[in-house]
Amino acid sequence: KNEVEQSPQNLTAQEGEFITINCSYSVGISALHWLQQHPGGGIVSLFMLSSGKKKHGRLIATINIQEKHSSLHITASHPRDSAVYICAVRTGAQKLVFGQGTRLTINP
Amino acid sequence: KAGVTQTPRYLIKTRGQQVTLSCSPISGHRSVSWYQQTPGQGLQFLFEYFSETQRNKGNFPGRFSGRQFSNSRSEMNVSTLELGDSALYLCASSLASSQNEQFFGPGTRLTVL
């Protein structure tokens, strides 16, 4: 079993829908990252969080340390949000362990 | 501020050869981490350098090595290339530690024939 599991693996939605991507992990962590990867490979760091909730524009990330679970929400989704979203956790050994990613497609 | 740059962007090698990839971090960033991304394994941590010292290492064979220079630029080297080394190699820089927010480069796509 992977230390970091994301769901769903693929998600297709219509423009304007509310999107939720989930990340569960099985190890102790010091922080959790949400990353966005567009076709062509470039990765952008969206959030780094160790507790609670963060918001940036239409994106919201939450983490529940006790349940070892994090969610990434996108409100009023837009075709430009289409990308692969990757959850990564920083373990006690200070290494980043990545989930397999969620491929999101937003249709106009 | 210029972003993280990686050279070359694309590379084709044959089995048994060696390759060196370069990463220039954002000015002022002292930590550089390297990652391998493949369709089968996803993103995996290779190593992290800080102040010319390897601070952390992932579970990769000794054929994968790296170094960091006094100006924080970093190189990674893969010797005796195997077909399975074909991947996108990404580096990321951060201010003082990979615990800070990381900024990723565009990657080097290596194809081993």
Side-chain angles (χ1 to χ4, degrees):
Chain A
K1 190 177 189 297
N2 293 334
E3 292 174 305
V4 182
E5 296 276 357
Q6 285 185 237
S7 63
Q9 288 191 335
N10 294 282
L11 179 57
T12 300
Q14 291 300 120
E15 183 174 356
E17 286 189 36
F18 181 81
I19 303 298
T20 295
I21 299 170
N22 296 299
C23 174
S24 295
Y25 53 92
S26 57
V27 295
I29 70 168
S30 57
L32 183 143
H33 300 251
W34 281 103
L35 310 171
Q36 180 192 56
Q37 186 172 30
H38 280 282
I43 292 180
V44 174
S45 175
L46 297 175
F47 295 103
M48 183 175 69
L49 61 165
S50 54
S51 65
K53 176 180 175 178
K54 286 191 177 180
K55 184 176 190 292
H56 185 255
R58 296 180 295 106
L59 273 59
I60 304 165
T62 64
I63 188 169
N64 185 318
I65 297 294
Q66 287 72 32
E67 295 187 3
K68 295 188 174 180
H69 181 269
S70 175
S71 293
L72 176 68
H73 305 286
I74 304 175
T75 62
S77 59
H78 190 276
R80 64 174 175 265
D81 297 326
S82 297
V84 175
Y85 292 84
I86 302 167
C87 168
V89 300
R90 184 164 306 285
T91 67
Q94 299 307 315
K95 298 177 183 179
L96 267 185
V97 178
F98 298 87
Q100 286 294 93
T102 295
R103 185 173 300 276
L104 173 66
T105 303
I106 304 295
N107 294 319
Chain B
K1 235 182 197 181
V4 178
T5 58
Q6 291 187 246
T7 56
R9 293 292 312 277
Y10 303 90
L11 203 48
I12 299 175
K13 292 284 188 178
T14 55
R15 277 180 301 175
Q17 287 187 309
Q18 74 157 17
V19 67
T20 299
L21 312 181
S22 180
C23 172
S24 293
I26 291 172
S27 177
H29 284 193
R30 297 171 63 190
S31 170
V32 174
S33 298
W34 287 90
Y35 303 94
Q36 181 198 63
Q37 186 176 36
T38 59
Q41 299 296 320
L43 270 163
Q44 297 183 89
F45 169 73
L46 278 158
F47 25 66
E48 180 195 358
Y49 285 88
F50 178 79
S51 290
E52 302 178 65
T53 301
Q54 186 180 89
R55 191 152 64 175
N56 220 332
K57 191 177 190 307
N59 299 322
F60 279 82
R63 299 184 298 108
F64 291 80
S65 62
R67 59 179 174 166
Q68 187 180 34
F69 301 96
S70 57
N71 61 358
S72 294
R73 189 177 70 86
S74 178
E75 288 181 348
M76 67 162 281
N77 184 278
V78 189
S79 61
T80 320
L81 284 166
E82 300 176 0
L83 295 179
D85 296 334
S86 295
L88 180 67
Y89 290 89
L90 292 150
C91 82
S93 76
S94 54
L95 270 173
S97 158
S98 54
Q99 292 189 64
N100 302 123
E101 182 182 6
Q102 294 198 301
F103 295 83
F104 286 81
T108 293
R109 188 165 296 280
L110 171 65
T111 301
V112 182
L113 303 176

